[in-house]
Amino acid sequence: MNEISDPYELRAEVPSVETFRRLRTDAGLSDRAPEAVALALPNTWHGVVLHHEGEAIGMGRIIGDGGTAFQVVDICVHPAHQGRGLGRRIMTALTEELERRAPATAYVSLIADGPARFLYEKFGFADTATHDSIGMYRSMPAR
C-alpha cells in the first residue's frame, strides 16, 4: 500500500524577523517595522512555523505573561497554500500547547479578521460582545 506523504511540516519555533515580515505581507496582513519585530519575537510564549519543501509558508504565535493572560497572534498562511486546512493545523498546535501548559484560569484572547472568526470558533473562541465585553485597541503614534 502506498502512503501519501504530507508535503507540510509544522515545527514548534519562532520565525526570524525576515520570515515573520514576509509571511505577514504575503498573507495580506500589515507589515511591522523590523526593529519592533526584533523586540517582539523573543517574547513569544509559543510559536509554530509551517514549512513546505523547506520554505516557511505559515505561522502562528502565542504571546502573554505565561500565567493569567495569553493572546493568539500572527496566524497566517501564504495564499498559494490556503484552503488546505493549514490554518486549522496551526491553530490545533497552538491550542494544544495552551491546554498543555497554560493554567486553567488563564484568559486567552485573539482578534479575528473577517471570516477567520469561523476558524477560531471551532477552537472554542467566542465573540466578546455576547459576554458583555468589547474588544478594543490603540495604535501608538508615529515618532
Side-chain angles (χ1 to χ4, degrees):
M1 175 192 312
N2 287 342
E3 188 176 310
I4 298 174
S5 65
D6 183 355
Y8 298 98
E9 179 188 4
L10 187 66
R11 298 181 200 154
E13 65 183 89
V14 178
S16 68
V17 170
E18 297 77 21
T19 299
F20 175 92
R21 294 181 69 218
R22 178 182 56 78
L23 288 174
R24 282 187 59 89
T25 56
D26 286 352
L29 302 176
S30 59
D31 194 6
R32 299 284 190 242
E35 303 81 20
V37 176
L39 290 170
L41 291 179
N43 295 306
T44 301
W45 184 77
H46 184 72
V48 296
V49 178
L50 186 64
H51 297 266
H52 179 261
E53 298 178 351
E55 181 181 356
I57 57 93
M59 69 175 173
R61 297 189 312 131
I62 301 169
I63 59 174
D65 63 16
T68 65
F70 298 86
Q71 186 172 25
V72 176
V73 296
D74 304 318
I75 306 296
C76 59
V77 174
H78 189 284
H81 299 272
Q82 291 177 359
R84 300 176 188 177
L86 300 173
R88 178 184 287 265
R89 190 181 294 189
I90 291 168
M91 280 300 296
T92 296
L94 295 178
T95 54
E96 285 176 352
E97 191 67 14
L98 282 164
E99 290 168 1
R100 188 175 77 76
R101 291 178 41 209
T105 56
Y107 183 82
V108 182
S109 63
L110 58 77
I111 304 277
D113 294 329
R117 71 174 297 156
F118 300 113
L119 170 65
Y120 303 138
E121 286 172 350
K122 293 174 183 168
F123 290 90
F125 288 88
D127 185 337
T128 59
T130 62
H131 298 279
D132 291 328
S133 293
I134 184 167
M136 301 178 80
Y137 78 97
R138 176 179 182 233
S139 295
M140 298 305 295
R143 295 179 204 196

